[in-house]
């Protein structure tokens, strides 16, 4: 808890979190990276709920992964920009429906590095992300972005697993 924070006994606002103390200012800035997948959308639902509960600003980040670009095409092409705008826009709309202040950004780079750098630059208190984005051979070759963020970030990371039916 931050100095001067106000805490009270009760629920943290979620069925899966019970706490003897709920701190209103526990989180001021929550980051949710997205790749537009169903897994990322599930994580975003948690992030929006947390932001609404704690009165935090939500930061939605889409990273155009430089590792998956084609040799002949730039990684910041219109197609990637459109996917990014759609992904962050969907989450921003969910946040707006809950009166959560939101900032969106699209960046190019290695996802785990961009996520960590963004978190440090924006004084993020919590990163909320899905445990799966890519799958199969691509995940094996590239590694898990969530796993790298958990290992390398100085900020707490909440990893949201896929739903049972995913």
């Amino acid at each position: 808890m931050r100095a001067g924070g106000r805490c009270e006994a009760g629920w943290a606002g979620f069925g899966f979190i019970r706490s003897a103390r709920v701190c209103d200012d526990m989180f001021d800035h929550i980051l949710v990276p997205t790749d537009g997948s169903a897994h990322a959308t599930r994580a975003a639902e948690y992030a929006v709920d947390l932001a609404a509960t704690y009165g935090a600003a939500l930061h939605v980040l889409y990273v155009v992964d430089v590792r998956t670009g084609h040799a002949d095409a730039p990684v910041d092409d219109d197609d990637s920009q459109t996917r990014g705008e759609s992904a962050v826009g969907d989450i921003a709309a969910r946040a707006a429906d809950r009166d959560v202040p939101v900032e969106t950004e699209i960046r190019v780079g290695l996802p785990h590095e961009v996520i960590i750098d963004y978190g440090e630059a924006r004084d993020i208190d919590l990163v909320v992300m899905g445990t799966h984005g890519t799958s199969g051979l691509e995940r094996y070759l590239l590694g898990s972005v969530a796993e790298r963020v958990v290992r390398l970030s100085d900020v707490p990371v909440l990893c949201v697993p896929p739903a049972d039916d995913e």
Side-chain angles (χ1 to χ4, degrees):
M1 178 178 77
R2 295 189 176 140
R6 186 173 73 82
C7 296
E8 36 185 79
W11 283 88
F14 300 93
F16 62 89
I17 297 176
R18 285 190 184 198
S19 174
R21 300 175 66 84
V22 177
C23 301
D24 287 342
D25 67 345
M26 181 177 277
F27 305 116
D28 291 326
H29 298 276
I30 297 173
L31 171 61
V32 60
T34 183
D35 61 3
S37 69
H39 303 298
T41 301
R42 180 171 157 81
E45 291 170 2
Y46 281 80
V48 170
D49 282 346
L50 284 166
T53 298
Y54 290 102
L58 186 67
H59 298 255
V60 185
L61 176 65
Y62 181 91
V63 181
V64 178
D65 191 344
V66 295
R67 299 171 301 175
T68 58
H70 301 291
D72 298 336
V75 293
D76 57 349
D77 62 355
D78 290 341
D79 205 28
S80 295
Q81 184 72 23
T82 301
R83 281 194 307 271
E85 288 171 0
S86 175
V88 299
D90 290 345
I91 297 170
R94 289 173 189 253
D97 288 345
R98 299 279 305 272
D99 294 325
V100 170
V102 64
E103 291 184 33
T104 62
E105 190 152 342
I106 299 171
R107 293 192 179 175
V108 177
L110 296 174
H112 72 281
E113 290 179 358
V114 172
I115 292 165
I116 292 167
D117 290 347
Y118 184 96
E120 290 172 357
R122 298 295 181 101
D123 203 22
I124 297 296
D125 301 303
L126 177 69
V127 177
V128 179
M129 61 190 305
T131 57
H132 296 74
T134 57
S135 61
L137 181 60
E138 183 179 357
R139 182 168 184 233
Y140 175 76
L141 294 173
L142 300 178
S144 168
V145 172
E147 185 269 333
R148 289 179 182 177
V149 172
V150 167
R151 253 188 324 108
L152 300 171
S153 178
D154 292 331
V155 174
V157 180
L158 172 63
C159 291
V160 179
D164 291 338
D165 59 346
E166 292 178 356

